[in-house]
Amino acid sequence: MGIRFILMVNKQGQTRLAQYYEWLTLEERRALEGEIVRKCLARNEQQCSFVEHRNYKIVYRRYASLFFLVGVDNDENELAILEFIHLLVETMDRHFGNVCELDIMFHLEKAHFMLEEMVMNGSIVETSKANILSPIQLMDKAS
Amino acid sequence: MGSQGGFYQSKEFLDLVKSIGEARSKAEEDRIVLNEIETLKRRISEPDIPKRKMKEYIIRLVYIEMLGHDASFGYIHAVKMTHDDSLLVKRTGYLAVTLFLNEDHDLIILIVNTIQKDLKSDNYLVVCAALNAVCKLINEETIPAVLPQVMELLAHPKEAVRKKAIMALHRFYQKSPSSVSHLVSNFRKRLCDNDPGVMGATLCPLFELIARDVNSYKDLVISFVSILKQVAERRLSKAYDYHQMPAPFIQIKLLKILALLGSGDKQASENMYTVVGDIFRKCDSSSNIGNAVLYECICCVSSIYPNPKLLESAADVISRFLKSDSHNLKYMGIDALGRLIKISPEIAEQHQLAVIDCLEDPDDTLKRKTFELLYKMTKSTNVEVIVDRMIDYMISINDNHYKTEIASRCVELAEQFAPSNQWFIQTMNRVFEHAGDLVNIKVAHNLMRLIAEGFGEDDDNADTKLRSSAVESYLRILGEPKLPSVFLQVICWVLGEYGTADGMFSASDITGKLCDVAEAYSNDETVKAYATTALMKIYAFEIAARRKVDMLPECQSLMEELLASHSTDLQQRAYELQAVIGLDAHAVACIMPSDASCEDIEVDRDLSFLNDYIQEAIEKGAQPYIPESERSGMLNISNFRNQDHHEASSHGLRFEAYELPKPAVQSRIPQTLIASTEIVPVPEPMYPRESYQTTMPSIPSDAGSAELKLRLEGVQKKWGRSTYTPATSTSNSTSQKTVNGTSQGDGASTVSSMRETYDSRKPQVEVSHEKQKLAASLFGGSSKTEKSPATGHKAAKASSHVVKSHVPKSSLEVASEKATPAQQPPDLLDLGEPTATSTALQLDPFKQLEGLLDATEVASAVNGAPAASRSPDIMALYADTAAGIHNKNDADLLSGLSNPSVTNMPGTTAMPQVTQSSSKGPNPKDSLEKDALVRQMGVNPSSQNPNLFKDLLG
């Protein structure tokens, strides 16, 4: 499975994007998000970017006011996931230009489309920014 | 400008997003969302909503669910939207559906048809959108509906489609391996795909397949090695580079696969040595991603057949990780160390102080990882220190999940390495006292068995001593308030069995204590049951020893209470106690022999002693017994009911995947110990059997209940299975499990030789005495000071993030980027048949765009000057913003651009921005543009939440 979920959450703990790769009910999502956001937001910058939670790990990274949290299985390479987050941000940055929290909020579906290109079935399938963005650019043009 | 084009947004939507963005509290956010739900409920079912408006409504629904509220009223509209002709609207519909519905939702049936249609579309982007949905929405029953089409798409001329088709097939395999078992060879074929993206994606299913069945894929070792070699030699398109590393994510996946294939296979491993060694050398150790690949190399090296040179490289990297200032690297270092010490235990020695630093670090994550390492390197010489530390830590944390895990580890280590019985009992007491309710009941049963059987030596004297000390400590502990139920059960059992055995305590002492327990924990029936049975044993032993039995008054009142108990179990125990007390010494000695808990009880499962009776009855004309399986009519009905029950229950369980901590720990436990260390407290429907060890008249009823249990077994098993489902996902680690087991043994055998070498080393006194002492007790040798000042990884790492590439603005650039893979045909493998559809790859990208673009835009694209045609626009905006508004927002925006001086001079906004553009890839105009656009839409970013505008990468 690898990646279980990807969350973007701001400093106040408000969810900005949530994508789950295994089904959880609304209540479970709410509980989970509350729990892990509390856990991760309480940590300082010197501490590890990894947190063990139940039987999986959360790898998180902060950009300005936004936290990117990725829940992964225990045998996943944490550093690689950390860099995967950065790749995602770079990709969004290439598309939006100086991407900020508001870009993701206004273009929630696009942020999701990028994730759809990058991750399938909880595995990283695409890491070339050009390949990730080309369908989105084509759609932009078409509509 | 591309970011805004086409994605129409109304003021209403922008206002909503803005208000959500600026909500100060969860309550405020909830209010906004509830309001929004009311609005949408009214509006969404209005007739003739334009589809763009509808798309926006659907995204608003996504917001509602994302923020934790129910949007099910709008699901059907999302489903409808997938029928739309417009690609963007359709894809948004699919996205919403995948976010809203799980694969078993009733509405899915309405989508399958659309998916089927879309999979046949001429527009490859439509096909891709449908394949995305396939991956999320198709369940076991609907696989056949789309499988043939997905199989066709594996040969689609577009690489993006092939990639997604592979992943769809992967999904089918995950959902139902049997339904696609005849098709797995396709994964092998796609490994030879000309497109690196498709090849990279194929590694995901292959990894899972190999994890399940290594031996069927040994032939691919050469192929994987050659792919890895080519990736490492930068033969892949530059587009896959990340921070100057060639396709690191593909390298990592390949290393994971090689680790599986080379595990315990010398021949396969030998093929890998060169390429892994090359990667060790080539990897840029100053970047995070380089270190991620290096870490994966260590994992690989410690999994495959050992090679001294590679192990040396791995050890070097580990020591660099551990010496780093970055906690992340330390964490990786500790983890890697845990992997490597299985093969070369001596390397732990040089890092002992780093390990202790991590153990004492306030960062919980690091601490836990270190405990995991300690757990792996525990042996009989250091078990006391390690378990002691673990228990201290266990007491200090609140997280029940981890508490359970660490408790079961303590138990496991104590059982495995206990230096003395005394210590063992004490340790177990501490574990039970502080985490008793979290440990599996089996651990308690194990402890009882250990006390009963002794430690395997034939020294009866030692066993007796062990029991006496246990009894003594339990009598002391009973004085403490609020003991966990499981612990009390152990205590009651031990007191009943051995309380009076050594003659130190009298029967009235023990029975008094037992009555106190039953009274103090009067709502815990299990404890009461244990206490009652213990009382019965004490009295039985007294009677058998022909001593006079005086029942204490409190005991008598307890019995009276239990005789009238609502619990039939307690009632029965009380009646049995009464009956036993009335018997003579000889009878009691027969049914309750002293210290016989280890004797086997023979149970006649066929009930053959009843044969005569049955024969007699049949002769008298009674109906013979018909086995349940033959009573078919009735069976069917009950089966159906079971089925229903099962389905409902499995639904209930499957959603709770997070509640299952089982596989993670199990995989680390040597097989033989699994029984004793399962950490999930499985609620047992009945009282544990142990309490019935003595042959009692209750046996028939016991057998009856066992039969009852048998009939339930079908149901329970199904429950059980669904609980265990995630185990398959971690099955790849089971292959390592055996390795762990064997090599741990190796580790222990090398201990002595290890210590000799350490002693010869001279300790440099630099670290605190206490730490050294700890190190010595942990590592069994003198400590060597290995600490060194931090190497500047951190700074280097930070700078590497700044590197960014240029944003393609015109469609021409996009096209050229798209064409790059075609210009550089990466001959990844020559073993595959040449399926190269070069014509397809060289298709004119504009031609493909034609279907999507409207006439005017195509014209401008062909002219190759879309950017130019728009540039006046941008300039206008740019000028407008630069000249016009310089309010607080601009300052906020700029502060995000990491130029603190700018904030003080709002009048010169344009200047610093220009300088910024040279250092930062994306055009800074964009931010101004964006700001202007937002303003145009009427959404003025107020100063309430400036964070919304902060560049993420700033």
Side-chain angles (χ1 to χ4, degrees), chain B residues 453-754:
Chain B
E453 289 175 353
F455 273 78
E457 302 115 55
D458 293 326
D459 186 0
D460 276 349
N461 203 15
D463 289 348
T464 318
K465 250 180 158 167
L466 164 75
R467 288 166 196 154
S468 309
S469 74
V471 168
E472 212 175 313
S473 66
Y474 289 158
L475 286 175
R476 197 174 51 243
I477 287 168
L478 272 182
E480 286 177 30
K482 287 231 170 148
L483 293 167
S485 172
V486 177
F487 192 30
L488 285 166
Q489 291 166 30
V490 176
I491 293 177
C492 288
W493 188 85
V494 173
L495 290 184
E497 201 70 33
Y498 303 110
T500 53
D502 63 351
M504 280 238 308
F505 301 97
S506 72
S508 61
D509 286 345
I510 304 288
T511 50
K513 285 279 184 191
L514 287 169
C515 290
D516 289 348
V517 170
E519 202 183 329
Y521 300 86
S522 60
N523 18 2
D524 190 335
E525 286 191 1
T526 318
V527 170
K528 263 158 109 176
Y530 267 90
T532 316
T533 304
L535 282 172
M536 177 165 65
K537 284 182 198 161
I538 299 283
Y539 287 130
F541 300 154
E542 289 297 292
I543 295 169
R546 293 168 207 282
R547 282 192 284 263
K548 195 172 171 294
V549 177
D550 292 313
M551 218 188 212
L552 295 173
E554 61 253 47
C555 187
Q556 260 158 2
S557 62
L558 176 69
M559 283 311 120
E560 271 159 34
E561 179 206 323
L562 293 186
L563 285 171
S565 168
H566 287 299
S567 156
T568 47
D569 179 79
L570 288 179
Q571 229 182 70
Q572 184 176 346
R573 283 171 202 255
Y575 274 109
E576 282 168 9
L577 172 62
Q578 236 180 10
V580 168
I581 286 176
L583 293 174
D584 65 63
H586 177 70
V588 169
C590 282
I591 56 171
M592 269 294 198
S594 168
D595 192 18
S597 57
C598 302
E599 321 275 282
D600 289 329
I601 300 168
E602 273 180 41
V603 178
D604 186 353
R605 284 186 185 276
D606 299 331
L607 307 180
S608 57
F609 55 89
L610 287 173
N611 283 352
D612 290 346
Y613 176 79
I614 294 166
Q615 201 58 36
E616 205 175 298
I618 289 175
E619 273 164 17
K620 279 182 188 161
Q623 284 279 333
Y625 173 74
I626 306 164
E628 205 182 354
S629 53
E630 285 168 36
R631 281 175 273 154
S632 49
M634 270 177 68
L635 180 81
N636 276 349
I637 293 166
S638 64
N639 245 7
F640 266 119
R641 205 168 291 152
N642 279 356
Q643 207 95 33
D644 281 354
H645 180 60
H646 153 59
E647 235 146 68
S649 61
S650 71
H651 278 210
L653 270 177
R654 201 181 309 162
F655 300 157
E656 292 183 341
Y658 286 119
E659 298 294 337
L660 306 169
K662 219 168 217 166
V665 169
Q666 263 192 355
S667 62
R668 288 185 208 107
I669 300 166
Q671 209 95 44
T672 45
L673 283 155
I674 282 179
S676 63
T677 50
E678 275 174 34
I679 47 161
V680 179
V682 185
E684 304 228 333
M686 300 183 195
Y687 293 119
R689 293 289 115 201
E690 255 91 332
S691 47
Y692 283 108
Q693 278 140 344
T694 44
T695 33
M696 288 289 301
S698 69
I699 285 291
S701 76
D702 199 300
S705 67
E707 218 169 69
L708 193 75
K709 202 166 123 196
L710 273 182
R711 222 187 298 150
L712 279 168
E713 226 162 48
V715 179
Q716 269 197 335
K717 211 172 188 176
K718 283 171 180 170
W719 271 88
R721 195 179 50 187
S722 59
T723 321
Y724 280 57
T725 33
T728 51
S729 69
T730 52
S731 59
N732 50 334
S733 57
T734 48
S735 65
Q736 286 183 338
K737 188 178 2 181
T738 46
V739 179
N740 290 6
T742 53
S743 46
Q744 256 176 6
D746 283 351
S749 65
T750 42
V751 173
S752 53
S753 63
M754 219 173 90

Side-chain angles (χ1 to χ4, degrees), chain B residues 845-920:
Chain B
F846 297 122
K847 280 236 176 77
Q848 292 174 357
L849 281 175
E850 262 171 18
L852 302 160
L853 304 176
D854 50 1
T856 53
E857 286 211 15
V858 171
S860 72
V862 173
N863 287 339
S869 70
R870 279 185 194 164
S871 57
D873 216 331
I874 296 169
M875 288 319 288
L877 281 169
Y878 180 51
D880 186 32
T881 332
I885 327 124
H886 295 299
N887 55 16
K888 197 162 180 290
N889 301 312
D890 277 335
D892 281 333
L893 218 141
L894 285 165
S895 71
L897 292 171
S898 74
N899 197 340
S901 63
V902 182
T903 34
N904 301 329
M905 349 176 238
T908 56
T909 339
M911 271 304 292
Q913 291 239 334
V914 174
T915 51
Q916 190 73 30
S917 70
S918 56
S919 65
K920 216 171 174 239

Side-chain angles (χ1 to χ4, degrees), chain A residues 62-77:
Chain A
R62 185 184 165 165
Y63 293 90
S65 58
L66 207 56
F67 284 84
F68 288 68
L69 308 146
V70 181
V72 294
D73 283 338
N74 273 322
D75 47 5
E76 205 60 42
N77 182 332

Side-chain angles (χ1 to χ4, degrees), chain B residues 302-320:
Chain B
S302 56
S303 165
I304 63 178
Y305 191 86
N307 170 290
K309 245 181 108 189
L310 289 180
L311 288 175
E312 206 177 291
S313 313
D316 287 348
V317 175
I318 289 176
S319 73
R320 209 163 40 69

Side-chain angles (χ1 to χ4, degrees), chain A residues 1 4-5 11 14-20 22-26 28-30 32-33 39 43 46-52 54-57 61 63-66 68 74-80 82-84 86-87 89-90 93-110 112-113 116-117 120-121 123-131 134-135 137-143, chain B residues 2-7 9 13-14 17 20-21 23 29 52 55 59 62-63 65-70 87-88 91 95 99-102 124-125 132 135-136 163-164 167 170-171 174 204 239-240 242-243 249 252 256 288-289 291-292 295-296 327-329 331-332 363 365 401 655-656 658-660 664 732 801 804-805 807 811 814 817 849 852-853 857 920 922 926-927 930 947-953:
Chain A
M1 182 63 164
R4 295 178 177 217
F5 56 80
K11 242 178 9 192
Q14 294 159 317
T15 311
R16 292 295 171 237
L17 182 144
Q19 176 63 272
Y20 289 84
E22 61 187 340
W23 181 257
L24 295 180
T25 64
L26 207 56
E28 286 165 338
R29 292 177 187 206
R30 254 174 107 145
L32 174 94
E33 284 170 28
K39 230 175 184 172
R43 296 171 63 81
Q46 279 77 51
Q47 289 179 314
C48 282
S49 312
F50 325 125
V51 183
E52 286 179 32
R54 312 231 178 151
N55 55 335
Y56 56 91
K57 285 176 298 202
R61 198 158 178 165
Y63 293 90
S65 58
L66 207 56
F68 288 68
N74 273 322
D75 47 5
E76 205 60 42
N77 182 332
E78 294 92 341
L79 269 186
L82 201 62
E83 288 311 283
F84 167 75
H86 195 70
L87 175 68
V89 175
E90 280 185 358
D93 201 60
R94 183 189 279 202
H95 185 74
F96 292 115
N98 295 340
V99 63
C100 62
E101 189 178 336
L102 207 59
D103 284 317
I104 296 165
M105 293 185 75
F106 279 148
H107 303 283
L108 187 62
E109 76 276 24
K110 279 193 189 177
H112 270 294
F113 291 159
E116 279 184 345
E117 299 300 320
M120 293 179 87
N121 308 342
S123 307
I124 299 171
V125 291
E126 186 58 78
T127 53
S128 145
K129 291 187 193 101
N131 284 356
S134 86
Q137 285 157 346
L138 288 174
M139 269 194 288
D140 265 356
K141 296 242 162 58
S143 49
Chain B
S3 59
Q4 318 294 349
F7 283 69
Q9 285 168 332
F13 177 74
L14 296 175
V17 170
I20 292 174
E29 188 186 277
R52 288 194 158 169
K55 172 183 163 258
I59 293 171
V62 171
Y63 258 102
E65 289 242 317
M66 187 176 83
L67 297 173
H69 297 262
D70 178 46
L87 172 63
L88 179 61
R91 189 158 179 195
L95 171 70
L99 291 171
F100 292 152
L101 308 181
N102 73 333
Y124 83 94
L125 289 174
N132 279 338
C135 283
K136 287 216 143 189
K163 182 173 67 192
K164 287 185 190 277
M167 293 315 283
H170 174 213
R171 181 66 173 172
Q174 286 178 327
C204 305
Y240 286 91
Y242 175 79
H243 293 184
F249 295 96
I252 287 171
K256 274 188 197 289
N288 255 349
I289 193 66
N291 286 327
Y295 165 79
E296 206 57 58
H327 272 51
N328 287 347
L329 285 185
Y331 177 93
M332 301 309 274
D363 186 348
T365 307
H401 176 81
F655 300 157
E656 292 183 341
Y658 286 119
E659 298 294 337
L660 306 169
N732 50 334
H801 291 322
K804 279 197 184 180
S805 38
V807 185
S811 61
V814 175
E817 282 218 40
L849 281 175
L852 302 160
L853 304 176
E857 286 211 15
K920 216 171 174 239
D926 281 355
S927 55
K930 207 151 49 192
N947 281 327
L948 289 173
F949 287 90
K950 220 179 249 170
D951 286 353
L952 296 182
L953 285 165

